[in-house]
Protein backbone atom coordinates (compact mmCIF):
# COMPACT_ATOMS: atom_id res chain seq x y z
CA UNK A 1 0.00 0.00 0.00
CA UNK A 2 1.43 3.42 -0.95
CA UNK A 3 1.53 6.54 1.20
CA UNK A 4 -1.78 8.37 0.72
CA UNK A 5 -2.33 12.12 0.66
CA UNK A 6 -5.81 13.60 1.02
CA UNK A 7 -5.61 17.31 0.31
CA UNK A 8 -7.87 20.20 -0.63
CA UNK A 9 -9.14 23.57 0.55
CA UNK A 10 -10.48 24.18 4.02
CA UNK A 11 -14.08 23.01 4.63
CA UNK A 12 -14.05 20.60 1.67
CA UNK A 13 -14.76 17.50 3.78
CA UNK A 14 -11.25 16.10 4.27
CA UNK A 15 -11.64 15.17 7.94
CA UNK A 16 -14.86 13.17 7.49
CA UNK A 17 -13.53 11.24 4.50
CA UNK A 18 -10.16 10.65 6.17
CA UNK A 19 -11.79 8.78 9.07
CA UNK A 20 -13.64 6.54 6.62
CA UNK A 21 -10.52 5.87 4.56
CA UNK A 22 -8.38 5.24 7.65
CA UNK A 23 -10.77 2.52 8.82
CA UNK A 24 -10.86 0.97 5.38
CA UNK A 25 -7.08 1.03 4.88
CA UNK A 26 -6.00 0.25 8.44
CA UNK A 27 -4.30 3.64 8.36
CA UNK A 28 -2.98 6.18 10.81
CA UNK A 29 -3.51 9.84 9.97
CA UNK A 30 -0.66 12.33 9.76
CA UNK A 31 -1.95 15.88 9.93
CA UNK A 32 -0.64 18.05 7.11
CA UNK A 33 -1.77 21.35 8.58
CA UNK A 34 0.82 23.96 9.51
CA UNK A 35 -1.26 25.20 12.46
CA UNK A 36 -2.55 21.94 13.96
CA UNK A 37 0.92 21.32 15.39
CA UNK A 38 0.26 24.04 17.99
CA UNK A 39 -1.28 23.30 21.37
CA UNK A 40 -4.21 25.36 22.58
CA UNK A 41 -5.45 26.28 19.10
CA UNK A 42 -8.16 23.65 18.75
CA UNK A 43 -11.05 25.82 17.54
CA UNK A 44 -8.92 28.17 15.45
CA UNK A 45 -7.46 25.29 13.46
CA UNK A 46 -10.59 23.08 13.36
CA UNK A 47 -8.65 20.08 14.63
CA UNK A 48 -10.24 16.64 14.40
CA UNK A 49 -12.42 15.99 17.44
CA UNK A 50 -11.11 13.98 20.36
CA UNK A 51 -13.69 11.33 19.45
CA UNK A 52 -12.23 11.00 15.94
CA UNK A 53 -8.71 10.93 17.35
CA UNK A 54 -9.73 8.06 19.61
CA UNK A 55 -11.14 6.10 16.67
CA UNK A 56 -8.05 6.63 14.52
CA UNK A 57 -4.53 7.41 15.68
CA UNK A 58 -3.44 10.90 14.58
CA UNK A 59 0.07 12.33 14.39
CA UNK A 60 1.57 15.84 14.28
CA UNK A 61 -1.26 17.44 16.24
CA UNK A 62 -0.57 19.33 19.49
CA UNK A 63 3.16 18.74 19.42
CA UNK A 64 4.57 22.20 20.29
CA UNK A 65 3.76 25.39 22.16
CA UNK A 66 2.37 28.29 20.09
CA UNK A 67 5.27 30.37 21.40
CA UNK A 68 7.63 28.29 19.23
CA UNK A 69 8.37 28.74 15.55
CA UNK A 70 7.78 25.73 13.33
CA UNK A 71 8.57 25.27 9.66
CA UNK A 72 8.33 22.88 6.74
CA UNK A 73 11.84 21.49 7.31
CA UNK A 74 10.98 20.44 10.87
CA UNK A 75 7.66 19.07 9.68
CA UNK A 76 9.29 16.96 6.98
CA UNK A 77 11.82 15.48 9.37
CA UNK A 78 9.13 14.34 11.82
CA UNK A 79 6.72 13.24 9.08
CA UNK A 80 9.29 10.95 7.43
CA UNK A 81 9.94 9.25 10.77
CA UNK A 82 6.20 8.77 11.23
CA UNK A 83 5.92 7.16 7.80
CA UNK A 84 8.66 4.66 8.64
CA UNK A 85 7.11 3.84 12.00
CA UNK A 86 3.59 3.39 10.59
CA UNK A 87 4.79 1.19 7.72
CA UNK A 88 6.87 -0.87 10.14
CA UNK A 89 3.65 -1.67 12.00
CA UNK A 90 2.02 -2.80 8.73
CA UNK A 91 -0.32 0.18 8.55
CA UNK A 92 -0.90 2.86 5.93
CA UNK A 93 0.30 6.45 6.38
CA UNK A 94 -2.56 8.80 5.45
CA UNK A 95 -1.64 12.49 5.21
CA UNK A 96 -4.62 14.82 5.59
CA UNK A 97 -4.58 18.59 5.28
CA UNK A 98 -4.41 21.68 3.16
CA UNK A 99 -0.94 23.11 3.79
CA UNK A 100 0.52 22.93 0.30
CA UNK A 101 4.10 23.68 1.29
CA UNK A 102 4.08 20.85 3.84
CA UNK A 103 2.69 18.39 1.27
CA UNK A 104 5.38 19.44 -1.19
CA UNK A 105 8.08 19.22 1.50
CA UNK A 106 7.23 15.57 2.21
CA UNK A 107 6.85 14.49 -1.40
CA UNK A 108 9.49 16.51 -3.23
CA UNK A 109 11.98 17.44 -0.52
CA UNK A 110 13.16 20.88 0.45
CA UNK A 111 15.58 23.09 -1.35
CA UNK A 112 18.04 25.20 0.63
CA UNK A 113 16.73 28.73 0.98
CA UNK A 114 19.67 30.22 -0.88
CA UNK A 115 19.32 33.63 -2.46
CA UNK A 116 17.48 33.59 -5.76
CA UNK A 117 19.19 34.90 -8.89
CA UNK A 118 16.61 35.23 -11.65
CA UNK A 119 19.18 36.48 -14.14
CA UNK A 120 21.29 33.37 -13.53
CA UNK A 121 18.24 31.12 -13.91
CA UNK A 122 17.27 32.66 -17.26
CA UNK A 123 20.81 32.23 -18.51
CA UNK A 124 20.79 28.52 -17.55
CA UNK A 125 17.40 28.03 -19.17
CA UNK A 126 18.76 29.57 -22.36
CA UNK A 127 21.78 27.23 -22.25
CA UNK A 128 19.49 24.23 -21.76
CA UNK A 129 17.36 25.31 -24.70
CA UNK A 130 20.46 25.74 -26.89
CA UNK A 131 22.54 22.72 -25.80
CA UNK A 132 20.02 20.45 -24.09
CA UNK A 133 19.35 19.45 -20.46
CA UNK A 134 22.31 17.09 -20.51
CA UNK A 135 24.68 20.02 -20.87
CA UNK A 136 23.59 21.50 -17.52
CA UNK A 137 23.43 18.08 -15.88
CA UNK A 138 27.05 17.33 -16.84
CA UNK A 139 28.00 20.75 -15.52
CA UNK A 140 26.39 19.88 -12.19
CA UNK A 141 28.12 16.48 -12.15
CA UNK A 142 31.49 18.22 -12.34
CA UNK A 143 30.59 20.75 -9.62
CA UNK A 144 28.75 18.46 -7.20
CA UNK A 145 28.59 14.74 -8.09
CA UNK A 146 26.79 13.98 -4.82
CA UNK A 147 23.89 16.29 -5.57
CA UNK A 148 23.79 15.30 -9.25
CA UNK A 149 23.40 11.67 -8.21
CA UNK A 150 20.11 12.54 -6.51
CA UNK A 151 18.60 14.38 -9.48
CA UNK A 152 17.15 12.87 -12.65
CA UNK A 153 19.07 14.12 -15.72
CA UNK A 154 15.80 15.44 -17.17
CA UNK A 155 14.71 17.33 -14.05
CA UNK A 156 15.72 20.75 -15.33
CA UNK A 157 14.17 22.71 -12.46
CA UNK A 158 16.20 20.89 -9.83
CA UNK A 159 19.37 20.97 -11.90
CA UNK A 160 19.15 24.73 -12.33
CA UNK A 161 18.31 25.23 -8.66
CA UNK A 162 21.37 23.21 -7.63
CA UNK A 163 23.57 25.27 -9.95
CA UNK A 164 22.00 28.44 -8.62
CA UNK A 165 22.77 27.43 -5.03
CA UNK A 166 26.40 26.85 -5.96
CA UNK A 167 26.47 30.19 -7.80
CA UNK A 168 24.99 32.23 -4.93
CA UNK A 169 26.26 30.35 -1.85
CA UNK A 170 29.71 29.37 -3.18
CA UNK A 171 29.07 25.98 -1.62
CA UNK A 172 28.08 22.63 -3.05
CA UNK A 173 24.34 21.94 -2.48
CA UNK A 174 25.28 18.55 -1.01
CA UNK A 175 27.28 20.35 1.69
CA UNK A 176 24.20 22.20 2.93
CA UNK A 177 22.34 20.40 5.69
CA UNK A 178 18.94 20.34 3.98
CA UNK A 179 17.02 17.23 2.98
CA UNK A 180 16.33 17.55 -0.74
CA UNK A 181 15.63 13.86 -1.33
CA UNK A 182 12.16 13.16 -2.77
CA UNK A 183 9.86 10.73 -0.95
CA UNK A 184 11.25 7.22 -1.40
CA UNK A 185 7.85 5.50 -1.18
CA UNK A 186 5.11 5.15 -3.75
CA UNK A 187 2.34 7.65 -3.11
CA UNK A 188 -1.07 8.73 -4.33
CA UNK A 189 -2.55 12.22 -3.94
CA UNK A 190 -6.30 12.76 -3.88
CA UNK A 191 -7.73 16.26 -3.85
CA UNK A 192 -11.22 17.16 -2.70
CA UNK A 193 -13.06 19.93 -4.45
CA UNK A 194 -16.54 21.41 -4.16
CA UNK A 195 -18.63 23.74 -6.23
CA UNK A 196 -17.68 27.23 -5.09
CA UNK A 197 -21.15 28.03 -3.71
CA UNK A 198 -21.16 24.83 -1.62
CA UNK A 199 -17.61 25.44 -0.40
CA UNK A 200 -18.47 28.98 0.67
CA UNK A 201 -21.60 27.75 2.43
CA UNK A 202 -19.48 25.20 4.32
CA UNK A 203 -17.04 27.94 5.29
CA UNK A 204 -19.83 30.18 6.60
CA UNK A 205 -21.28 27.29 8.62
CA UNK A 206 -17.86 26.41 10.03
CA UNK A 207 -17.18 29.99 11.13
CA UNK A 208 -20.54 30.19 12.90
CA UNK A 209 -19.76 26.90 14.69
CA UNK A 210 -16.32 28.19 15.71
CA UNK A 211 -17.90 31.12 17.51
CA UNK A 212 -20.44 28.83 19.20
CA UNK A 213 -17.63 26.54 20.37
CA UNK A 214 -15.75 29.42 22.02
CA UNK A 215 -13.20 30.82 19.59
CA UNK A 216 -13.36 34.20 21.33
CA UNK A 217 -12.29 32.71 24.66
CA UNK A 218 -9.58 30.64 22.95
CA UNK A 219 -8.11 33.73 21.28
CA UNK A 220 -8.34 35.65 24.56
CA UNK A 221 -6.21 32.98 26.27
CA UNK A 222 -3.72 32.90 23.41
CA UNK A 223 -3.41 36.69 23.41
CA UNK A 224 -2.00 36.52 26.94
CA UNK A 225 0.94 34.48 25.62
CA UNK A 226 3.81 35.54 23.42
CA UNK A 227 2.91 33.77 20.19
CA UNK A 228 5.51 32.92 17.60
CA UNK A 229 5.26 34.80 14.32
CA UNK A 230 3.95 31.65 12.63
CA UNK A 231 1.29 30.84 15.21
CA UNK A 232 0.16 34.46 15.27
CA UNK A 233 -0.74 34.17 11.59
CA UNK A 234 -3.36 31.48 12.25
CA UNK A 235 -6.53 32.26 10.37
CA UNK A 236 -9.05 33.64 12.84
CA UNK A 237 -6.61 34.87 15.45
CA UNK A 238 -6.25 38.39 14.07
CA UNK A 239 -9.93 38.67 13.18
CA UNK A 240 -11.10 37.77 16.69
CA UNK A 241 -8.35 39.81 18.33
CA UNK A 242 -9.68 42.84 16.49
CA UNK A 243 -13.06 42.28 18.13
CA UNK A 244 -11.46 41.83 21.55
CA UNK A 245 -9.67 45.16 21.08
CA UNK A 246 -13.01 46.80 20.21
CA UNK A 247 -12.01 47.65 16.65
CA UNK A 248 -15.29 46.22 15.36
CA UNK A 249 -18.37 44.27 16.48
CA UNK A 250 -18.72 40.52 16.94
CA UNK A 251 -20.81 40.24 13.77
CA UNK A 252 -18.18 42.17 11.84
CA UNK A 253 -15.50 39.79 13.17
CA UNK A 254 -17.54 36.82 11.92
CA UNK A 255 -18.01 38.32 8.47
CA UNK A 256 -14.32 39.23 8.25
CA UNK A 257 -13.30 35.69 9.15
CA UNK A 258 -15.71 34.24 6.58
CA UNK A 259 -14.30 36.52 3.88
CA UNK A 260 -10.67 35.80 4.78
CA UNK A 261 -11.34 32.05 4.92
CA UNK A 262 -12.82 32.16 1.41
CA UNK A 263 -9.69 33.96 0.22
CA UNK A 264 -7.55 31.36 1.99
CA UNK A 265 -9.42 28.52 0.26
CA UNK A 266 -8.76 30.19 -3.10
CA UNK A 267 -5.04 30.42 -2.33
CA UNK A 268 -4.96 26.74 -1.36
CA UNK A 269 -6.52 25.75 -4.68
CA UNK A 270 -4.14 28.04 -6.58
CA UNK A 271 -1.20 26.26 -4.90
CA UNK A 272 -2.46 22.74 -5.63
CA UNK A 273 -3.87 23.20 -9.16
CA UNK A 274 -0.56 23.03 -11.11
CA UNK A 275 0.34 19.64 -9.58
CA UNK A 276 -0.71 17.10 -12.20
CA UNK A 277 -0.14 14.22 -9.80
CA UNK A 278 -3.31 15.11 -7.88
CA UNK A 279 -6.48 13.16 -8.68
CA UNK A 280 -9.34 15.59 -8.05
CA UNK A 281 -12.76 14.33 -6.95
CA UNK A 282 -15.92 16.26 -6.16
CA UNK A 283 -16.84 15.63 -2.53
CA UNK A 284 -20.22 17.34 -2.70
CA UNK A 285 -22.57 14.39 -2.85
CA UNK A 286 -20.52 11.35 -1.91
CA UNK A 287 -18.07 9.92 0.61
CA UNK A 288 -15.74 7.81 -1.47
CA UNK A 289 -14.15 4.47 -0.72
CA UNK A 290 -10.48 4.00 -1.53
CA UNK A 291 -11.32 1.73 -4.47
CA UNK A 292 -13.60 4.42 -5.90
CA UNK A 293 -10.87 7.01 -5.51
CA UNK A 294 -8.20 4.92 -7.21
CA UNK A 295 -10.59 4.06 -10.03
CA UNK A 296 -10.65 7.76 -10.88
CA UNK A 297 -6.87 8.01 -11.20
CA UNK A 298 -5.23 7.98 -14.61
CA UNK A 299 -3.11 4.87 -14.53
Amino acid sequence: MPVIFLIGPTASGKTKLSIKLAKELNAEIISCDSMCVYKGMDILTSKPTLADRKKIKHHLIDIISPSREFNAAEYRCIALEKIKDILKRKKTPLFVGGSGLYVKAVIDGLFPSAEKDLKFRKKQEALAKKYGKGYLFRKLQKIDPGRAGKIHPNDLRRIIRALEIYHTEKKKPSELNINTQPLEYDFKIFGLQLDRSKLYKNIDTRVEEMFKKGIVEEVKKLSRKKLSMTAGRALGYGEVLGYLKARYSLEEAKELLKKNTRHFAKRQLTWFRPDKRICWVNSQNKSYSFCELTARMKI
Side-chain angles (χ1 to χ4, degrees):
M1 179 62 67
V3 178
I4 309 298
F5 291 81
L6 183 65
I7 58 91
T10 186
S12 58
K14 297 185 296 295
T15 299
K16 182 179 179 181
L17 180 56
S18 70
I19 298 299
K20 177 180 179 178
L21 292 177
K23 290 178 180 177
E24 182 185 346
L25 299 172
N26 188 28
E28 292 183 11
I29 292 172
I30 303 174
S31 170
C32 204
D33 186 299
S34 61
M35 295 297 170
C36 281
V37 296
Y38 290 114
K39 299 174 183 177
M41 300 175 71
D42 301 348
I43 302 171
L44 276 170
T45 59
S46 299
K47 289 175 186 171
T49 64
L50 289 176
D52 282 342
R53 287 151 71 180
K54 284 181 180 178
K55 292 176 191 173
I56 303 295
K57 189 167 184 177
H58 285 64
H59 302 272
L60 284 160
I61 293 177
D62 292 340
I63 61 171
I64 60 169
S65 165
S67 62
R68 261 201 59 200
E69 289 293 347
F70 192 76
N71 57 43
E74 289 180 273
Y75 175 85
R76 184 178 204 265
C77 183
I78 301 171
L80 292 180
E81 289 301 316
K82 294 298 181 184
I83 291 174
K84 289 179 183 177
D85 178 58
I86 292 169
L87 290 173
K88 192 182 295 182
R89 291 185 279 105
K90 308 298 182 184
K91 292 194 172 188
T92 302
L94 172 58
F95 283 83
V96 181
S99 294
L101 179 60
Y102 282 26
V103 173
K104 185 173 179 58
V106 174
I107 294 175
D108 297 321
L110 286 167
F111 289 102
S113 55
E115 183 181 348
K116 295 179 181 178
D117 188 328
L118 297 181
K119 187 177 179 180
F120 178 84
R121 288 186 187 183
K122 288 181 180 179
K123 183 179 178 181
Q124 302 310 304
E125 288 168 359
L127 287 171
K129 189 174 182 180
K130 185 175 181 179
Y131 300 112
K133 297 175 184 177
Y135 173 80
L136 292 187
F137 185 69
R138 289 189 293 274
K139 185 177 178 181
L140 178 60
Q141 283 180 314
K142 291 179 181 178
I143 292 171
D144 188 353
R147 181 72 186 109
K150 295 179 180 179
I151 299 178
H152 192 280
N154 291 328
D155 194 340
L156 185 61
R157 182 178 66 87
R158 285 176 180 268
I159 294 169
I160 291 178
R161 180 55 176 154
L163 292 171
E164 181 185 30
I165 291 167
Y166 181 75
H167 173 73
T168 57
E169 298 292 303
K170 310 305 179 189
K171 287 184 179 180
K172 296 178 182 179
S174 60
E175 293 175 344
L176 299 174
N177 190 27
I178 298 289
N179 192 342
T180 57
Q181 189 72 14
L183 188 64
E184 61 182 272
Y185 308 100
D186 290 335
F187 62 88
K188 295 183 186 294
I189 317 173
F190 300 101
L192 296 188
Q193 59 184 353
L194 282 171
D195 295 337
R196 184 168 295 187
S197 60
K198 177 61 176 175
L199 180 63
Y200 287 177
K201 185 178 179 181
N202 285 358
I203 287 171
D204 290 349
T205 300
R206 173 177 285 186
V207 170
E208 291 291 342
E209 289 176 353
M210 290 166 77
F211 278 86
K212 289 178 183 177
K213 289 177 180 177
I215 190 175
V216 173
E217 188 58 36
E218 184 171 276
V219 170
K220 190 182 292 183
K221 289 179 181 177
L222 288 167
S223 68
R224 299 186 189 116
K225 302 177 181 179
K226 186 177 181 180
L227 297 189
S228 66
M229 188 179 297
T230 305
R233 288 199 296 261
L235 188 60
Y237 180 75
E239 292 85 348
V240 175
L241 193 61
Y243 160 69
L244 291 171
K245 292 185 176 181
R247 293 177 188 155
Y248 36 73
S249 69
L250 183 63
E251 283 305 312
E252 287 173 314
K254 288 182 183 179
E255 292 307 311
L256 182 60
L257 181 51
K258 289 175 184 177
K259 182 185 75 172
N260 289 343
T261 305
R262 290 194 290 269
H263 291 165
F264 176 62
K266 286 181 185 178
R267 291 196 300 273
Q268 288 177 299
L269 285 169
T270 299
W271 176 284
F272 287 123
R273 284 297 182 197
D275 194 334
K276 302 304 181 185
R277 298 169 297 185
I278 299 174
C279 172
W280 289 98
V281 294
N282 192 306
S283 60
Q284 185 161 343
N285 300 313
K286 188 172 184 180
S287 182
Y288 295 89
S289 69
F290 182 68
C291 287
E292 289 171 322
L293 287 175
T294 53
R296 288 170 171 264
M297 297 196 81
K298 294 178 181 178
I299 306 299

